[in-house]
Amino acid sequence: MATATVNPDLARARAQATFDPLKLTYFIYDGADKTKRKRFLQNIAIKESQEQGFRRTAELTREEQYDEALRKTTYALRRIAELGLKDSTDLYFFKEPLFASDSSPFGLHESMFLPTIQKQGTEEQTKKWIPLAKRFQVLGTYAQTELGHGTFLRGLETTATYDVKSKEFIINSPTVTSSKFWPGGLGKTANHCVVMAKLNVGGRDCGMQSFIVQIRDVETHQPLPGVTVGDIGQKFGYGAMDNGFLTLNNVRIPRENMLMRYSQVLEDGTFVSPKNDKLLYGSMTLIRAQIVGGCARALSKAVTIATRYSAVRRQSEINPGAGEVQVLDFQTQQHRLFVQIATAYALSMAGRASIAAYTRVSAQIESGALEELPILHALSAALKAFSSWEMAFGIEQCRLACGGHGYIQASGLPKIYTHEVPACTYEGENTVLCLQTARFLMKCQEAANNGQQLPSFVSYLKNPKNGKSQLSQNIRLEQLIEAYEHRAGRMIAEASLRIKTQLDKGMKPAEAWNSSTQMLVEAVVAFTHAFVVRAFIEKVLTSNLEPSLYTVLSQLCELYALYGITKYSGQFTKGGYLNDQQLEIVEGRIYDLLAALKPNAIALVDAFDFPDLVLDSDIGRYDGNVYEALMEYAKRSKLNSTEVHEGFYKYQKPFVDSMKASVQSRL
Amino acid sequence: MATATVNPDLARARAQATFDPLKLTYFIYDGADKTKRKRFLQNIAIKESQEQGFRRTAELTREEQYDEALRKTTYALRRIAELGLKDSTDLYFFKEPLFASDSSPFGLHESMFLPTIQKQGTEEQTKKWIPLAKRFQVLGTYAQTELGHGTFLRGLETTATYDVKSKEFIINSPTVTSSKFWPGGLGKTANHCVVMAKLNVGGRDCGMQSFIVQIRDVETHQPLPGVTVGDIGQKFGYGAMDNGFLTLNNVRIPRENMLMRYSQVLEDGTFVSPKNDKLLYGSMTLIRAQIVGGCARALSKAVTIATRYSAVRRQSEINPGAGEVQVLDFQTQQHRLFVQIATAYALSMAGRASIAAYTRVSAQIESGALEELPILHALSAALKAFSSWEMAFGIEQCRLACGGHGYIQASGLPKIYTHEVPACTYEGENTVLCLQTARFLMKCQEAANNGQQLPSFVSYLKNPKNGKSQLSQNIRLEQLIEAYEHRAGRMIAEASLRIKTQLDKGMKPAEAWNSSTQMLVEAVVAFTHAFVVRAFIEKVLTSNLEPSLYTVLSQLCELYALYGITKYSGQFTKGGYLNDQQLEIVEGRIYDLLAALKPNAIALVDAFDFPDLVLDSDIGRYDGNVYEALMEYAKRSKLNSTEVHEGFYKYQKPFVDSMKASVQSRL
């Protein structure tokens, strides 16, 4: 990153830092070696991307985006093979500059098709399919959601009927609503699919099972008989992805194409139930844990762009007549952005904590201990929901903080938002996920009421609800954890009480539950918020940071936690836990923290170490040369390919002439 | 709207209403006659739109959107002339189905170019330009913002230097950052511009003035010498609009092209200052008041789509095994949507109240009384900010409430969001506007402290801050107004105190102000919220509604106000105004209201009376035939124009073949 021509305002803001951002970068990427490895791989990708002349999404039509994405994907995969990259972190960082907040039509092949076969296939099946898939001789996707059906698995309509004579399954879409709809890569790219379908053996409903269905000829790429498949059209972003629809008209597949690691259909039509299908949750849990980190990274990008731009942009005066100041000088702008910087760091630490929990529990599962699986599932579901909501809101805050230029695609911010906000919906709709976690928390509350042992991270459910915070002028981080756990404990208890009250009124359990769900979702948010606050604070307290880093990171911890207290203040003051004076201390401290963090704002976002190509933003550039870049972007607009647009001749001139004529005829 | 083939779930939900939606429609549109007129005009537009075969934005590239918008605009304007439509309400409703949440490249000509000349031009100037503009013989836009400068007028860099010899102004863009950037219609469409530039007469800075600058030849449409103009490229939505850039290289215009109703430059170079430039605020105030109503209407559209879809969509079970239910049955979904229905109605009433205030004050101004102008300015600025924030958040809530299908362009929701969220930024960035209102409120607070008289809608600033609410199980609407005004009064007083405390610490006034701005913005939000709550409640209480309408509208009032109390609960409990028990009453009442409003949900959105073409949504259709429409949309995707996409031959097949070869070569 050249510094010779850096915008002077940005350079000055950067120079104010009280710590070395490189050291924070090492902290973020787990040390100097891993940081260097990341940079090494990203630099290759950046150099080659420039050599190849890959085009920016911001300048392409949706059709061109798909075309360019295929070009980039095949290039990247070829290079990955040549470079011999295998480690998932290596792959992530190598691909990041090539697919900056953008999708690949091969994405589901790698993230869903392959892992599903690996997890749900028998040894024989994985032996057959995995090498084919790894060499891209079959290209797959994962087809679960249907036009009329989503999150609720048992609602799917696609059927798989076993024909014992031919030893085949007949896969069928009996209705319009049963067409598979939305899977990425399905529209134009994939030639195979893992299809979720309702298994019918000899007239008996054997539940949802997974089947490998070939949909296109591997050589000609033409759809096979009985298969109707295509792209679903333009979306909110995601132009590079061919999300597709798929209608199967009694398509026959061999018996061997049902993934049979758990459930099985024997040749003679005997259905064998799985011994333990809880293991199926495993991969979903990992994906959700990964989404948390992804949300942190997406928000980090957005806030890097907005913070740098706020140092470059001058707008309005603070002291009348003294000239326009950097918008970063305004307290309101600091509040907007620094809260998001803090949130990005907080979610990143929570993401690490949840991956760590996954790894720990996975090891237990391997040795046969499944006790912690429900806890892990509950935690990862709630964290995915919480972090995607926070991220989506945060990205838009960053975009709105950039004024008009936040609306131009060249800012990168619209693309980041449209690429990331679907995390609120995919891999389990957020509200639905929160309510799954709520089921778990209600069980924990019951266990607490009965004096039973609790999982460590909800042990506070046993605490008394009438406590008072000791928080005073000299705020300690532990007091903030206490405050969040008090709030969560109280809200979980209240939701549990609400259900009980509704039951006492004579409601059926399902209705008592439904009439408490809004309260439950809010309790789950409080529970997750407490987890995130604890994860962030513990990470900072236990990482043996050098003083300059400890100071700024503990300020971010504080800001994150204090901001949440002001946002949900009534939930902290209830029962007198915090009083009005303490709330005023909290507010006052936030304003002090904004001022204290200001010299470090640029360094805090620089430390994320995003190369310009990853941000893909004309206003978030490391060198701050924003306006020249925007003007170049403008000039390349396709509408400028002719000086006079053909619409002028087709519509505008004839109209103006006719108006003139009509005036003259009236004269 | 045919009902024969309505989706049965939607039909059943619709039939549950306890009131006649047509009567509510009459209330919304000010009576049966005006409703009929609206429908009459919209039906013409719908019929002709179908005859013309205008294409959906959701299916077009950005370039096609611009082209189609020109076609639609010229068609619409021709028809408006033929039909002799002149009344602004008539024009609004006739155009609404043709430009459903979409823009017209002629939009700024009508909304800014013409009105600016009308307001700021001399009699002679309006006589010359208005007829030309009305007959489209000149086509204009309004160019204020520059690449490096926005809200802060004095920061603009474009210069207008008077040349006394030639009696011309020389308009110049001295830097990259001084290029005009963003004006709608500037890129490819307009041939004239009102340009804001810094006037220099004989070396003296005479402030910002407005100039009419011709930028393209009226016949050939080629840019004139010294003019560099073009489109700025792809944005977050707004594809139909050619937002543009404009660089002026010492372009000369006659002296007569400066708009001279207020400031003047005489032939000899004498600069004459305006007598009263407050009047300039008038048109900005009206536009902001209109934005409030626009925000209400946009949110109404989004919530109509999401509510209807929630009656059609079945997903998950409430009673296990009893089958999937309409998602509208879930309390969480009701909470999400009904709060937005209530918000849409609340903003609509606030919009009316602010237009009424504008009309009243305008009449005073005509008779020379300018006292209320600052009040009106403060109110309209804050209302614009508040309502655009509420709307933007609300539209995304509606979109997210639609699960996966909320992401497809065919749902209409992405387009509504991207078309409307710019209201947070244009016509004054929201935070900046809030702080303008804060200045006014701080003056009011000082007046209150000094026992002076206050404008009626902040008279509560005189109230004691230690009151307690009398709110109990039987909530009265007046108690809700009281609660909101108490909260606003307290927060305004606290912000004022904060400034005083900072000054006492020795801060300079400008810094004391800046370090209080976050608190001030929150106080302004509370002030505006109180205004909206009062406007909504007063409208419902004073409209002499028949009982069935009164019941449901007062429930919406209650829900709107109670939801705000839970959202900002700590601001209502501070100082003990509301206690924990009262807060629990509020929460419980919200859950009861959700259940009470549920049978009326569809009728409440039907009453907005949006024709399908205005919603432009496959999932928000009146007939609920959602899935068939989505599948048709999918099939029309441009990527489906060939069965095998050319990218397969260009990239995918060569890649797969090379991977096969490389494996074989390694064998």
Side-chain angles (χ1 to χ4, degrees):
Chain A
M1 290 168 179
T3 52
T5 58
V6 171
N7 169 291
D9 284 336
L10 180 57
R12 210 162 29 241
R14 186 168 276 146
Q16 289 168 9
T18 62
F19 68 95
D20 177 0
L22 185 60
K23 286 186 181 158
L24 185 51
T25 302
Y26 290 165
F27 174 70
I28 293 171
Y29 291 99
D30 283 326
D33 289 348
K34 288 190 180 170
T35 304
K36 280 171 195 155
R37 176 75 180 163
K38 164 199 172 285
R39 289 183 170 184
F40 169 74
L41 293 168
Q42 295 206 320
N43 285 338
I44 297 174
I46 291 164
K47 185 166 158 283
E48 298 191 5
S49 180
Q50 283 158 350
E51 286 166 2
Q52 296 296 315
F54 291 135
R55 295 158 74 198
R56 291 178 82 179
T57 296
E59 301 185 16
L60 304 177
T61 68
R62 194 260 147 147
E63 293 71 33
E64 291 167 343
Q65 287 175 35
Y66 172 72
D67 196 79
E68 191 72 356
L70 268 186
R71 181 179 160 222
K72 280 197 291 188
T73 298
T74 51
Y75 178 83
L77 292 172
R78 194 177 284 128
R79 289 294 291 138
I80 284 167
E82 287 166 6
L83 294 166
L85 301 178
K86 294 226 158 62
D87 174 73
S88 64
T89 309
D90 278 359
L91 291 171
Y92 182 87
F93 288 128
F94 181 75
K95 286 182 191 171
E96 199 183 37
L98 294 164
F99 299 94
S101 305
D102 226 329
S103 41
S104 154
F106 285 36
L108 276 276
H109 175 78
E110 298 187 280
S111 69
M112 291 295 295
F113 181 73
L114 249 158
T116 305
I117 296 174
Q118 253 160 346
K119 297 241 154 105
Q120 298 181 28
T122 61
E123 212 185 308
E124 208 171 343
Q125 289 176 318
T126 54
K127 221 182 235 170
K128 171 179 175 184
W129 291 101
I130 296 301
L132 284 172
K134 286 208 166 167
R135 294 191 319 250
F136 303 96
Q137 304 308 299
V138 304
L139 199 72
T141 184
Y142 179 83
Q144 177 175 317
T145 52
E146 298 175 353
L147 184 51
H149 309 278
T151 304
F152 186 68
L153 215 56
R154 274 175 291 151
L156 298 178
E157 290 181 80
T158 303
T159 55
T161 309
Y162 185 60
D163 176 7
V164 70
K165 261 191 263 169
S166 63
K167 300 189 177 57
E168 289 172 325
F169 293 105
I170 304 161
I171 316 284
N172 194 39
S173 317
T175 58
V176 178
T177 45
S178 71
S179 290
K180 296 295 176 186
F181 210 89
W182 276 111
L186 173 62
K188 307 306 288 182
T189 314
N191 51 33
H192 283 68
C193 242
V194 168
V195 171
M196 293 290 283
K198 193 187 296 218
L199 173 61
N200 181 310
V201 183
R204 178 182 159 211
D205 177 355
C206 300
M208 287 302 151
Q209 306 295 340
S210 308
F211 303 86
I212 300 178
V213 180
Q214 182 173 356
I215 55 171
R216 288 177 178 270
D217 184 274
V218 174
E219 287 301 319
T220 66
H221 211 56
Q222 290 290 339
L224 297 186
V227 173
T228 310
V229 63
D231 176 78
I232 65 166
Q234 299 200 81
K235 295 144 294 184
F236 197 34
Y238 265 72
M241 183 63 99
D242 55 324
N243 299 83
F245 67 87
L246 172 68
T247 310
L248 298 165
N249 183 12
N250 292 315
V251 171
R252 288 176 170 265
I253 59 168
R255 189 186 66 91
E256 293 75 18
N257 279 23
M258 173 173 149
L259 294 176
M260 296 217 202
R261 180 160 174 194
Y262 300 104
S263 301
Q264 288 167 40
V265 174
L266 307 184
E267 280 200 8
D268 64 358
T270 309
F271 177 73
V272 184
S273 295
K275 288 192 194 98
N276 191 336
D277 59 357
K278 275 193 186 161
L279 290 168
L280 278 169
Y281 286 111
S283 60
M284 220 147 63
T285 305
L286 177 60
I287 286 173
R288 286 178 191 153
Q290 288 167 337
I291 290 174
V292 179
C295 290
R297 203 148 175 86
L299 182 55
S300 307
K301 283 187 208 175
V303 80
T304 300
I305 295 168
T307 306
R308 286 184 184 159
Y309 178 61
S310 297
V312 172
R313 181 73 172 184
R314 286 180 170 268
Q315 180 81 49
S316 302
E317 299 175 334
I318 289 179
N319 289 294
E324 290 189 281
V325 300
Q326 291 159 284
V327 294
L328 201 57
D329 287 343
F330 292 103
Q331 190 197 43
T332 45
Q333 189 79 350
Q334 293 164 12
H335 191 269
R336 228 172 185 173
L337 296 181
F338 299 174
V339 165
Q340 297 310 329
I341 293 176
T343 304
Y345 276 92
L347 294 180
S348 161
M349 302 307 152
R352 285 159 172 240
S354 79
I355 294 278
Y358 174 82
T359 310
R360 188 171 52 77
V361 176
S362 284
Q364 293 173 3
I365 292 170
E366 289 298 314
S367 62
L370 299 180
E371 295 78 16
E372 289 212 61
L373 200 55
I375 307 174
L376 188 66
H377 177 73
L379 179 65
S380 70
L383 262 179
K384 180 272 189 185
F386 181 84
S387 56
S388 56
W389 272 329
E390 292 276 294
M391 167 202 69
F393 179 80
I395 293 171
E396 275 296 85
Q397 284 299 306
C398 292
R399 199 181 61 72
L400 289 168
C402 295
H405 294 335
Y407 292 90
I408 198 163
Q409 287 287 351
S411 74
L413 293 165
K415 187 179 64 165
I416 295 177
Y417 185 64
T418 56
H419 188 68
E420 303 294 346
V421 66
C424 294
T425 307
Y426 60 54
E427 301 299 332
E429 198 279 328
N430 277 357
T431 305
V432 174
L433 288 188
C434 284
L435 291 173
Q436 289 178 9
T437 304
R439 293 253 178 228
F440 174 77
L441 291 177
M442 290 302 102
K443 279 184 202 150
C444 292
Q445 182 62 54
E446 213 174 299
N449 296 348
N450 298 334
Q452 292 162 10
Q453 220 198 315
L454 293 176
S456 67
F457 60 79
V458 284
S459 59
Y460 57 78
L461 291 181
K462 289 188 174 176
N463 294 356
K465 304 291 176 271
N466 56 356
K468 311 273 177 226
S469 171
Q470 298 303 310
L471 189 136
S472 62
Q473 280 296 347
N474 196 2
I475 297 170
R476 287 183 298 108
L477 293 176
E478 294 82 355
Q479 291 172 329
L480 299 176
I481 298 179
E482 271 171 36
Y484 275 84
E485 295 189 343
H486 174 88
R487 164 197 177 221
R490 194 183 48 65
M491 288 176 73
I492 292 167
E494 283 178 1
S496 160
L497 194 66
R498 159 110 184 158
I499 297 173
K500 208 158 288 170
T501 312
Q502 300 292 75
L503 289 171
D504 291 348
K505 280 187 196 162
M507 271 193 195
K508 281 192 242 168
E511 271 123 44
W513 176 264
N514 187 30
S515 78
S516 309
T517 44
Q518 181 58 31
M519 218 163 168
L520 285 162
V521 167
E522 289 170 19
V524 169
V525 168
F527 154 77
T528 322
H529 210 163
F531 178 88
V532 174
V533 165
R534 181 183 274 279
F536 191 8
I537 290 177
E538 284 186 346
K539 182 77 188 169
V540 169
L541 289 179
T542 62
S543 289
N544 200 18
L545 294 162
E546 65 166 77
S548 68
L549 284 191
Y550 176 80
T551 303
V552 68
L553 283 178
S554 62
Q555 285 169 346
L556 281 183
C557 272
E558 241 192 289
L559 179 62
Y560 180 72
L562 295 177
Y563 168 71
I565 292 176
T566 60
K567 184 173 170 192
Y568 297 102
S569 54
Q571 296 175 0
F572 289 89
T573 54
K574 201 165 177 194
Y577 179 77
L578 284 181
N579 60 38
D580 285 356
Q581 288 69 42
Q582 288 170 316
L583 221 49
E584 285 185 4
I585 290 172
V586 167
E587 280 177 30
R589 179 67 184 149
I590 289 176
Y591 303 135
D592 292 347
L593 283 168
L594 297 181
L597 283 164
K598 205 211 137 191
N600 286 320
I602 299 300
L604 281 168
V605 299
D606 280 352
F608 292 131
D609 203 50
F610 289 116
D612 279 350
L613 194 58
V614 170
L615 297 177
D616 194 16
S617 168
D618 286 346
I619 68 171
R621 299 160 61 101
Y622 185 84
D623 69 9
N625 292 319
V626 165
Y627 298 117
E628 296 77 3
L630 282 178
M631 190 53 104
E632 287 310 308
Y633 173 81
K635 288 188 172 165
R636 287 193 302 270
S637 168
K638 282 183 190 159
L639 283 187
N640 298 332
S641 61
T642 54
E643 192 66 80
V644 179
H645 189 269
E646 59 171 352
F648 174 78
Y649 305 112
K650 283 196 295 183
Y651 308 118
Q652 189 167 334
K653 191 161 177 5
F655 166 72
V656 169
D657 290 348
S658 76
M659 293 302 283
K660 194 187 226 162
S662 90
V663 171
Q664 284 167 341
S665 73
R666 270 187 268 151
L667 291 176
Chain B
M1 291 168 175
T3 52
T5 59
V6 171
N7 170 290
D9 284 337
L10 180 57
R12 211 164 25 243
R14 186 167 276 147
Q16 288 168 10
T18 62
F19 68 94
D20 177 0
L22 185 60
K23 287 185 180 157
L24 184 51
T25 302
Y26 290 166
F27 174 70
I28 293 170
Y29 293 99
D30 283 327
D33 288 348
K34 288 188 179 169
T35 304
K36 280 172 196 155
R37 176 75 180 164
K38 164 198 172 285
R39 289 183 169 184
F40 169 74
L41 292 168
Q42 295 206 320
N43 285 337
I44 296 174
I46 292 164
K47 183 166 162 282
E48 298 191 6
S49 180
Q50 283 158 349
E51 286 166 1
Q52 295 296 315
F54 290 135
R55 295 158 73 198
R56 289 178 82 179
T57 296
E59 301 184 16
L60 303 178
T61 67
R62 195 261 149 146
E63 291 72 31
E64 292 166 342
Q65 287 175 36
Y66 172 71
D67 197 79
E68 191 71 356
L70 269 187
R71 183 180 158 221
K72 279 198 291 188
T73 298
T74 50
Y75 178 82
L77 292 173
R78 195 176 284 127
R79 290 294 291 138
I80 285 166
E82 287 167 4
L83 294 166
L85 300 179
K86 295 223 158 63
D87 174 74
S88 65
T89 310
D90 279 358
L91 290 171
Y92 182 88
F93 288 128
F94 181 76
K95 286 181 190 170
E96 199 183 38
L98 294 164
F99 299 94
S101 304
D102 226 327
S103 41
S104 154
F106 285 34
L108 276 275
H109 175 78
E110 297 187 281
S111 69
M112 291 296 295
F113 181 73
L114 247 159
T116 305
I117 297 174
Q118 253 159 348
K119 297 241 154 103
Q120 298 181 30
T122 60
E123 211 184 309
E124 210 171 341
Q125 288 175 319
T126 54
K127 221 184 235 169
K128 172 180 174 184
W129 290 101
I130 297 300
L132 284 172
K134 286 208 164 165
R135 292 191 321 249
F136 304 96
Q137 303 306 300
V138 306
L139 198 71
T141 183
Y142 178 84
Q144 177 174 316
T145 52
E146 298 175 353
L147 184 50
H149 309 278
T151 304
F152 186 68
L153 215 56
R154 274 175 293 151
L156 298 178
E157 291 181 79
T158 303
T159 55
T161 310
Y162 186 60
D163 176 7
V164 69
K165 262 189 264 167
S166 64
K167 302 190 176 57
E168 288 172 325
F169 292 105
I170 304 161
I171 315 285
N172 194 40
S173 317
T175 60
V176 178
T177 45
S178 71
S179 290
K180 296 294 176 187
F181 210 88
W182 277 110
L186 173 62
K188 307 306 287 183
T189 313
N191 50 33
H192 282 67
C193 241
V194 167
V195 170
M196 292 292 283
K198 194 189 294 221
L199 173 61
N200 182 310
V201 183
R204 177 182 160 211
D205 178 355
C206 301
M208 287 302 151
Q209 306 295 339
S210 309
F211 303 85
I212 299 177
V213 181
Q214 182 172 354
I215 55 173
R216 288 178 179 270
D217 184 275
V218 175
E219 286 301 319
T220 68
H221 211 58
Q222 290 289 338
L224 297 186
V227 172
T228 310
V229 63
D231 176 78
I232 66 166
Q234 300 200 79
K235 295 143 295 182
F236 197 34
Y238 265 73
M241 182 64 99
D242 56 323
N243 299 84
F245 68 86
L246 171 69
T247 311
L248 298 166
N249 183 12
N250 292 315
V251 171
R252 288 176 170 265
I253 58 167
R255 189 186 66 90
E256 291 76 19
N257 279 21
M258 173 174 149
L259 294 176
M260 297 217 202
R261 181 161 173 191
Y262 301 105
S263 302
Q264 289 168 39
V265 174
L266 307 184
E267 280 198 9
D268 64 358
T270 309
F271 177 72
V272 184
S273 296
K275 288 193 194 98
N276 190 335
D277 58 358
K278 275 194 185 159
L279 290 168
L280 277 169
Y281 286 111
S283 60
M284 220 147 64
T285 305
L286 176 60
I287 285 173
R288 286 179 191 152
Q290 287 166 339
I291 289 175
V292 179
C295 290
R297 203 150 174 86
L299 182 55
S300 306
K301 282 187 207 174
V303 81
T304 299
I305 294 168
T307 306
R308 285 184 184 160
Y309 178 61
S310 296
V312 172
R313 182 71 172 183
R314 286 181 169 268
Q315 180 82 46
S316 302
E317 299 175 335
I318 288 178
N319 289 294
E324 291 190 281
V325 299
Q326 292 159 284
V327 294
L328 200 57
D329 287 343
F330 292 102
Q331 190 197 42
T332 45
Q333 190 79 351
Q334 292 163 13
H335 190 269
R336 228 171 184 175
L337 296 181
F338 298 174
V339 165
Q340 297 310 329
I341 294 176
T343 305
Y345 276 93
L347 294 181
S348 159
M349 301 307 150
R352 285 159 173 241
S354 79
I355 294 278
Y358 174 82
T359 311
R360 188 171 51 78
V361 176
S362 285
Q364 293 172 5
I365 293 170
E366 289 297 315
S367 61
L370 299 180
E371 295 78 16
E372 289 212 61
L373 199 55
I375 308 175
L376 187 67
H377 177 73
L379 179 66
S380 71
L383 262 179
K384 180 272 191 186
F386 181 85
S387 56
S388 57
W389 272 330
E390 292 276 295
M391 167 202 70
F393 179 80
I395 292 171
E396 274 298 84
Q397 284 298 306
C398 292
R399 199 182 61 72
L400 289 168
C402 294
H405 294 335
Y407 293 89
I408 198 162
Q409 288 285 353
S411 73
L413 292 165
K415 186 179 64 165
I416 294 176
Y417 185 64
T418 56
H419 189 68
E420 303 293 346
V421 66
C424 294
T425 308
Y426 59 54
E427 301 301 330
E429 200 278 328
N430 277 356
T431 305
V432 175
L433 288 188
C434 284
L435 291 173
Q436 288 178 9
T437 303
R439 293 252 179 229
F440 173 77
L441 291 177
M442 289 302 102
K443 279 184 203 150
C444 292
Q445 182 64 53
E446 214 175 300
N449 296 347
N450 298 332
Q452 292 162 8
Q453 220 198 314
L454 293 175
S456 66
F457 59 80
V458 285
S459 59
Y460 56 79
L461 290 181
K462 291 189 174 177
N463 295 354
K465 304 290 177 269
N466 57 357
K468 311 274 176 226
S469 171
Q470 298 304 311
L471 187 138
S472 63
Q473 279 297 348
N474 195 4
I475 297 169
R476 286 182 300 108
L477 294 175
E478 293 82 357
Q479 291 172 329
L480 300 175
I481 298 179
E482 271 171 37
Y484 275 84
E485 295 189 342
H486 174 88
R487 165 199 178 218
R490 194 183 46 67
M491 290 176 71
I492 292 166
E494 283 177 2
S496 162
L497 194 65
R498 159 110 185 156
I499 297 172
K500 208 159 287 170
T501 312
Q502 301 292 76
L503 288 172
D504 290 349
K505 281 186 195 161
M507 272 194 195
K508 281 192 244 168
E511 272 123 44
W513 175 265
N514 188 29
S515 78
S516 310
T517 45
Q518 181 59 31
M519 217 163 168
L520 286 162
V521 168
E522 290 170 17
V524 169
V525 168
F527 154 76
T528 323
H529 210 164
F531 178 87
V532 174
V533 165
R534 180 183 275 281
F536 191 8
I537 291 178
E538 283 186 348
K539 182 75 188 172
V540 169
L541 289 180
T542 61
S543 289
N544 200 17
L545 294 162
E546 66 167 77
S548 67
L549 285 192
Y550 177 80
T551 303
V552 69
L553 283 178
S554 62
Q555 286 170 345
L556 283 183
C557 273
E558 242 192 291
L559 179 64
Y560 180 74
L562 296 177
Y563 168 72
I565 292 175
T566 60
K567 184 173 169 192
Y568 297 102
S569 54
Q571 297 176 358
F572 289 89
T573 54
K574 200 163 177 197
Y577 180 76
L578 283 181
N579 59 38
D580 285 357
Q581 289 67 44
Q582 287 171 315
L583 221 49
E584 285 184 4
I585 289 173
V586 167
E587 281 177 29
R589 178 67 184 150
I590 288 177
Y591 303 134
D592 293 346
L593 282 168
L594 298 181
L597 283 164
K598 205 210 136 191
N600 286 320
I602 299 300
L604 280 168
V605 298
D606 281 352
F608 292 130
D609 203 48
F610 289 117
D612 278 350
L613 194 59
V614 169
L615 297 177
D616 194 16
S617 168
D618 286 347
I619 68 172
R621 299 160 60 100
Y622 185 84
D623 69 10
N625 293 319
V626 164
Y627 298 117
E628 297 76 3
L630 282 177
M631 191 52 103
E632 287 310 307
Y633 173 81
K635 290 189 172 165
R636 286 193 302 270
S637 168
K638 281 182 191 160
L639 283 186
N640 298 331
S641 62
T642 54
E643 193 66 80
V644 179
H645 189 267
E646 59 171 351
F648 175 77
Y649 305 110
K650 283 195 295 183
Y651 308 118
Q652 189 167 332
K653 192 164 181 0
F655 167 71
V656 169
D657 290 347
S658 76
M659 292 302 283
K660 192 187 227 162
S662 91
V663 171
Q664 283 164 344
S665 72
R666 271 186 268 151
L667 289 179

